[in-house]
Amino acid sequence: MIGYYISLAMRSLRGTPILSALMIAAIAVGVGASMTVLTLNYMMSQNALAHKNDVLYAVQLDSWDPNEGFARSNNEIPYQLTYQDATALLRSDIPTRQVAMHRFGFTVTRENTDARPFTAQTRVTTRDFFALFDVPFLYGGTWEHKADTSPTKSVVLSKRTNEKLFGGENSVGSIVELNGMPFTVVGVIDQWNPSPKVYDLNNDPFSDSEELFVPFGLHRQLEIHSWGNTNGWNSGDNGLDGYEGFLQGEGVWIQYWVELENQQQKENYEAFLTGYIRGQKEQGRFQRPLNFVLTPPSEWLVLNEVLDNDNRVLGWAAIAFLLVCVVNAVALMLAKFLRKAPEAGVRRALGASRNAIFSQHLIESGCIGVLGGILGIGLSMLGLSGLRTLAMGQMDKVATMDWVMMFAAVGLAILASLLAGLYPAWRISRTNPSVYLKTQ
Amino acid sequence: MFELKPMLSALWRNKVAALLIALQLALTLAIVSNATVIVKDRLTSMARPTGMDIENIIAITFMPVPTNYDMAGAVRADLDMMRSMPGVVDASVTNQIPVSGSGSASGYFLEPNAELGDVTANYYQTDPNFINTLGLNLIQGRNFRLDEMRVRGSNESGGANVAIVTQRFAEQAFPEESALGKFLYHGNDDKPIEIIGIVERHLGAWPSWSLAGNVVFHPLLVEGNHKRYLVRTEPGKRDTIFKQLETKLSERDPQRVIHLETLTEKLASTYVADNIMVKVLSAVMTLLTFIVALGIVGLTIFWINQRAKQIGVRRALGATRANISRYYLVENTVIATTGLVLGTAGALIINQLMVSEFSQPAMPLPMLAVCAVILLAVSLAAALVPALRAANISPAMATRSV
């Protein structure tokens, strides 16, 4: 029966080409526009760490100005830690894994090659980074434990950097020069480019992940400052000069993550943090009310507003747009179905039930939905490529459609058209056959 | 005279179709007016003057390869070389690129050793050539002198003791009096920084910052692992100079990585988000209006076809073509006005949400009225073709049975 209805529907669509084209266009444009924006928002709110959402936490400590909260964050606690707090927390053995890190940059050269030097985005981090964020290794592995606290010139390369410098060969044990100093390659990671970069949402969350990774113990030797946000409130001196004064200062610039596998471990860690802050208070630091927050990745994305107000406004505009298109399709379908009323009258007179008339017309709207959906996918791909152009390369990773979103587009189109067809199909199924029989 | 009473009772019997048109117009008005508010706000912010000769400025970032590098010497040599190039108006060293979205800010106090009540500003570490390089308009006081320039390592403390500020910063820090000759302090120190000059305006590093335009310049060179230059060229020579600079800088010192950008490029990429909002919302508004218009055309045609016999009867009874067209146009106006009144309420409710939930600007009522009038015109235009067609229905239709 459904096959017959579909063939009836197609025949009916061909019978009124202009009205049908208008309906398909209304659904297609509605689905196309809304899927363009919804795809963008969906891709932007991906959580690459969803599978570890129960065990990973971003750490925030309120070390800020006694006179006012940290205005730039949504919970009024700095997103990052001071160096002295980060190194103190690293001494705890409660978390299964823990990472202190920030963004940096090196010039990269290789001895005896004439490759031009380039600047590489770098992550200065502790060795647990790779295991904690599930970074796959192609060759070698992370650096030894002591490199996190004492200067060791080791480096882990990204796959692409390894291709650029070593043609993709196993480069473990080779030397690269960073800022002119020799570093030994200890590992090469495989393709790894989460979007958004849940682990660092501070600086352009949709940029590519880093090209180099170096140990956290290098700060003093290389006098490393962050290539990301550094915020301070206390510009006064702490009795220390130069770089040491910066390290022991109150500026926040280190990102901190911990892996806590169960509730017990989490409670222990919370007790540890409470104790640590109390101890610091006794030494005159942490003058604000005792406050720290452990945030899982999914909430970290929300707290950092990866999806900002503009995205939300566009999302609602897209949904409202689709709604208008649906109302439009209701009106057009009503017009079309009522015009076909005599035909339905004859079918009714020949014995078709109201239900049969209703489902036949609903299937016709469904067909409009499928056609509109397919056209809509094309339109939203066009829309997304338009967005990529407008974004000047800043959205190449998020303004793309995956299979999920394509199926969602067709699903949305069918849903929209069925919704639009519901009233017109009901209306036509209620027609009194005798009216039409009289005038035939 | 407009046959309103019979029209309304006819509409009442066909209320679903009329309601659907009214509903579409209501939703469209609510969306379009709110989108217009946002688009207008973004366009205004993008059109703000930067205070600079933005078209002719090139920004350069460089990073030396070796760690022990004579940064101060390199900066001096580079600037001398660039300033002597034909076609270059001036060149200057800086800690940040204007309108790039990345830079430094600090709180400035008006009293020594203060902890509260600072005025926040975007600050530049630059040199006496910056005013000429950026093309800023110095409205009070004087430029930096070469002997006021300080050079220090990135971990040494101490800064400049003079500053040039923007008029906006001057007015915010010293609302009642002239800022010229006044002093600024950093927190917890008592080293005065004298304000020696005021420039008309400079948008600073972050155009979307709420304090954009609060800018302080210091004559200071802080040696670090990278430095930046700004170069202004004569009009029309930017792209030629751009290529020459790339070669000349790497020839002078091959032991570094150099990156060049134009400020026009930088400004465009800073405004990317606003530009996307403007373009996407404009597309939504245009498509929406178009779709609603198509819907009205389609539905009015259907409606008139349904009432062909009735029109024939009226024509046979003496109604003129103009009468018939007018009937459908008035009917459309009644429906559209109902929809637009509903839409006005909807637009205001949505705008409330936009202001409170998404910190978007509030809607000025004249703008809402303009949107409503435009939509009414669109609706009438859409109804015009079917209404004129209706007038062509012959009186003979009255005698036919459909």
Side-chain angles (χ1 to χ4, degrees):
Chain A
M1 213 54 180
I2 285 187
Y4 174 60
Y5 287 161
I6 291 177
S7 83
L8 269 186
M10 295 320 274
R11 210 176 305 158
S12 155
L13 289 181
R14 273 198 299 274
T16 51
I18 294 177
L19 215 50
S20 309
L22 277 181
M23 282 186 285
I24 293 173
I27 297 285
V29 171
V31 167
S34 52
M35 285 312 287
T36 302
V37 174
L38 295 180
T39 299
L40 192 67
N41 287 5
Y42 159 83
M43 295 296 279
M44 285 173 88
S45 45
Q46 295 278 303
N47 179 4
L49 296 172
H51 59 291
K52 290 183 102 172
N53 213 39
D54 299 334
V55 292
L56 293 191
Y57 300 92
V59 181
Q60 285 175 283
L61 306 178
D62 197 354
S63 63
W64 205 244
D65 190 344
N67 297 309
E68 54 186 348
F70 186 76
R72 271 153 291 194
S73 103
N74 280 323
N75 58 9
E76 297 219 333
I77 307 179
Y79 289 124
Q80 304 180 101
L81 306 191
T82 65
Y83 179 83
Q84 48 175 333
D85 292 329
T87 42
L89 297 197
L90 278 176
R91 279 180 223 120
S92 161
D93 53 10
I94 299 169
T96 311
R97 295 188 179 100
Q98 52 192 339
V99 173
M101 61 179 184
H102 65 90
R103 195 167 82 126
F104 189 58
F106 278 113
T107 58
V108 185
T109 43
R110 230 189 113 191
E111 244 184 2
N112 309 323
T113 57
D114 28 274
R116 281 186 64 168
F118 62 96
T119 315
Q121 290 293 331
T122 305
R123 185 141 293 265
V124 181
T125 179
T126 52
R127 71 192 299 273
D128 285 349
F129 178 87
F130 308 96
L132 190 133
F133 295 115
D134 287 333
V135 187
F137 272 95
L138 196 58
Y139 307 116
T142 185
W143 45 80
E144 59 208 55
H145 209 282
K146 74 173 178 37
D148 284 347
T149 44
S150 62
T152 312
K153 293 206 179 73
S154 300
V155 61
V156 169
L157 308 179
S158 75
K159 190 180 180 191
R160 206 190 297 171
T161 313
N162 189 51
E163 265 156 26
K164 193 144 79 177
L165 289 169
F166 297 98
E169 285 172 31
N170 184 349
S171 58
V172 172
S174 311
I175 302 291
V176 288
E177 292 188 340
L178 306 183
N179 284 3
M181 293 167 292
F183 275 66
T184 312
V185 178
V186 294
V188 176
I189 64 167
D190 207 343
Q191 183 58 37
W192 182 74
N193 203 1
S195 170
K197 294 196 298 189
V198 195
Y199 63 94
D200 176 10
L201 300 173
N202 261 317
N203 315 286
D204 193 4
F206 303 107
S207 58
D208 284 331
S209 51
E210 283 76 5
E211 301 165 88
L212 301 177
F213 302 84
V214 299
F216 200 72
L218 290 163
H219 282 103
R220 283 192 175 81
Q221 193 182 55
L222 303 185
E223 301 207 338
I224 294 174
H225 289 265
S226 173
W227 273 31
N229 290 351
T230 306
N231 292 304
W233 55 272
N234 182 346
S235 57
D237 62 322
N238 47 11
L240 293 164
D241 283 334
Y243 188 71
E244 198 57 31
F246 167 72
L247 284 188
Q248 302 306 325
E250 290 294 345
V252 290
W253 52 290
I254 311 275
Q255 300 145 11
Y256 208 95
W257 285 81
V258 288
E259 186 170 334
L260 304 167
E261 282 169 289
N262 52 50
Q263 196 53 35
Q264 184 56 44
Q265 204 179 0
K266 193 178 173 213
E267 278 164 22
N268 290 347
Y269 195 62
E270 283 166 344
F272 161 75
L273 289 178
T274 310
Y276 173 71
I277 297 176
R278 288 222 173 95
Q280 292 297 306
K281 275 176 173 293
E282 279 166 23
Q283 294 167 38
R285 295 185 66 231
F286 283 87
Q287 290 175 45
R288 298 184 59 73
L290 195 152
N291 201 358
F292 63 85
V293 180
L294 299 175
T295 312
S298 57
E299 287 169 39
W300 191 241
L301 289 164
V302 176
L303 189 69
N304 282 269
E305 289 190 341
V306 171
L307 210 60
D308 65 11
N309 277 341
D310 278 10
N311 300 119
R312 287 172 211 276
V313 168
L314 286 181
W316 284 112
I319 290 168
F321 185 91
L322 183 63
L323 189 65
V324 176
C325 290
V326 169
V327 175
N328 195 293
V330 176
L332 291 172
M333 257 181 233
L334 194 63
K336 187 185 150 71
F337 288 177
L338 288 182
R339 194 198 244 177
K340 291 264 168 193
E343 208 175 276
V346 174
R347 284 198 61 216
R348 283 276 284 126
L350 293 176
S353 69
R354 282 184 171 171
N355 275 342
I357 303 285
F358 180 75
S359 30
Q360 181 212 329
H361 285 92
L362 209 56
I363 282 174
E364 189 173 333
S365 0
C367 288
I368 291 170
V370 173
L371 292 174
I374 292 168
L375 207 60
I377 291 180
L379 287 179
S380 46
M381 287 189 159
L382 215 64
L384 287 170
S385 85
L387 273 181
R388 284 197 296 273
T389 316
L390 280 181
M392 303 172 73
Q394 294 176 20
M395 282 190 186
D396 286 1
K397 280 204 293 178
V398 280
T400 55
M401 225 174 185
D402 59 7
W403 284 107
V404 178
M405 285 325 256
M406 289 196 195
F407 282 116
V410 178
L412 190 67
I414 294 175
L415 188 75
S417 61
L418 287 182
L419 215 62
L422 221 49
Y423 174 75
W426 178 81
R427 180 83 190 266
I428 191 82
S429 71
R430 297 280 123 179
T431 45
N432 186 351
S434 59
V435 177
Y436 299 103
L437 288 178
K438 256 193 288 179
T439 52
Q440 286 298 314
Chain B
M1 67 172 273
F2 286 139
E3 306 110 347
L4 273 179
K5 222 178 151 195
M7 182 184 294
L8 288 178
S9 68
L11 271 179
W12 189 248
R13 256 176 282 128
N14 233 325
K15 55 185 169 299
V16 174
L19 203 69
L20 287 172
I21 292 190
L23 191 61
Q24 275 185 60
L25 279 166
L27 283 168
T28 306
L29 178 62
I31 298 168
V32 166
S33 58
N34 276 289
T36 310
V37 175
I38 297 173
V39 165
K40 189 159 172 280
D41 177 61
R42 299 302 164 98
L43 287 176
T44 316
S45 115
M46 285 162 78
R48 272 177 306 167
T50 60
M52 295 179 284
D53 179 17
I54 207 141
E55 302 288 312
N56 297 311
I57 299 176
I58 300 167
I60 303 159
T61 304
F62 80 90
M63 198 175 162
V65 171
T67 314
N68 299 318
Y69 188 78
D70 174 17
M71 188 57 91
V75 167
R76 211 175 308 118
D78 283 338
L79 287 175
D80 284 347
M81 187 270 289
M82 292 191 287
R83 284 171 193 153
S84 69
M85 280 170 68
V88 169
V89 175
D90 209 342
S92 174
V93 62
T94 173
N95 60 324
Q96 70 203 347
I97 299 173
V99 302
S100 65
S102 159
S104 304
S106 173
Y108 288 90
F109 295 91
L110 308 183
E111 302 287 334
N113 297 315
E115 279 188 11
L116 286 172
D118 55 334
V119 187
T120 306
N122 176 205
Y123 71 83
Y124 280 70
Q125 295 158 348
T126 181
D127 66 10
N129 294 65
F130 92 93
I131 288 190
N132 190 32
T133 305
L134 294 187
L136 300 179
N137 184 12
L138 186 70
I139 51 170
Q140 276 187 60
R142 62 169 177 89
N143 195 354
F144 299 129
R145 289 191 311 260
L146 209 52
D147 64 282
E148 286 165 333
M149 207 49 210
R150 288 256 179 113
V151 180
R152 67 163 170 88
S154 60
N155 294 313
E156 289 163 29
S157 55
N161 44 24
V162 289
I164 293 178
V165 303
T166 55
Q167 194 173 16
R168 204 190 126 136
F169 176 83
E171 280 166 5
Q172 232 163 61
F174 304 95
E176 301 294 323
E177 43 195 346
S178 167
L180 206 62
K182 297 282 188 319
F183 295 96
L184 299 172
Y185 300 85
H186 286 293
N188 295 347
D189 84 15
D190 53 3
K191 292 176 205 115
I193 305 166
E194 188 187 352
I195 298 176
I196 58 156
I198 298 174
V199 292
E200 189 184 5
R201 77 160 54 84
H202 178 65
L203 207 48
W206 312 284
S208 54
W209 188 33
S210 58
L211 297 175
N214 265 16
V215 190
V216 174
F217 303 90
H218 297 297
L220 183 66
L221 177 70
V222 179
E223 300 177 308
N225 65 354
H226 66 286
K227 267 284 88 59
R228 299 192 159 104
Y229 303 126
L230 296 170
V231 180
R232 174 145 75 110
T233 69
E234 286 164 11
K237 299 220 173 128
R238 188 190 68 189
D239 297 343
T240 328
I241 302 275
F242 192 96
K243 292 198 192 84
Q244 291 173 4
L245 278 174
E246 252 176 331
T247 359
K248 286 211 163 183
L249 282 169
S250 39
E251 268 170 18
R252 207 202 61 69
D253 177 6
Q255 285 294 295
R256 55 180 170 178
V257 186
I258 301 165
H259 182 66
L260 285 89
E261 292 155 295
T262 64
L263 273 202
T264 322
E265 220 169 68
K266 269 284 165 206
L267 189 67
S269 77
T270 298
Y271 283 136
V272 150
D274 296 309
N275 195 29
I276 286 178
M277 279 303 262
V278 168
K279 296 277 163 62
V280 173
L281 289 177
S282 305
V284 163
M285 289 193 281
T286 319
L287 279 174
L288 206 52
T289 313
F290 187 62
I291 281 186
V292 168
L294 277 187
I296 292 174
V297 173
L299 213 58
T300 317
I301 289 181
F302 158 75
W303 220 341
I304 287 168
N305 283 344
Q306 254 200 341
R307 290 187 278 183
K309 190 175 173 188
Q310 181 204 337
I311 294 169
V313 171
R314 283 194 62 207
R315 291 276 285 125
L317 291 176
T320 63
R321 282 164 191 262
N323 285 146
I324 302 291
S325 299
R326 196 186 64 198
Y327 179 93
Y328 287 101
L329 288 179
V330 172
E331 185 184 73
N332 178 274
T333 312
V334 170
I335 298 171
T337 312
T338 315
L340 293 175
V341 169
L342 278 175
T344 303
L348 292 173
I349 293 170
I350 291 179
N351 188 243
Q352 279 295 314
L353 287 173
M354 287 286 168
V355 173
S356 63
E357 299 290 312
F358 303 115
S359 35
Q360 300 293 336
M363 168 130 51
L365 288 178
M367 186 187 275
L368 183 57
V370 169
C371 289
V373 169
I374 291 176
L375 279 179
L376 186 65
V378 167
S379 156
L380 271 177
L384 196 63
V385 181
L388 291 178
R389 251 180 55 172
N392 288 334
I393 291 173
S394 94
M397 279 296 280
T399 62
R400 259 186 240 157
S401 64
V402 176

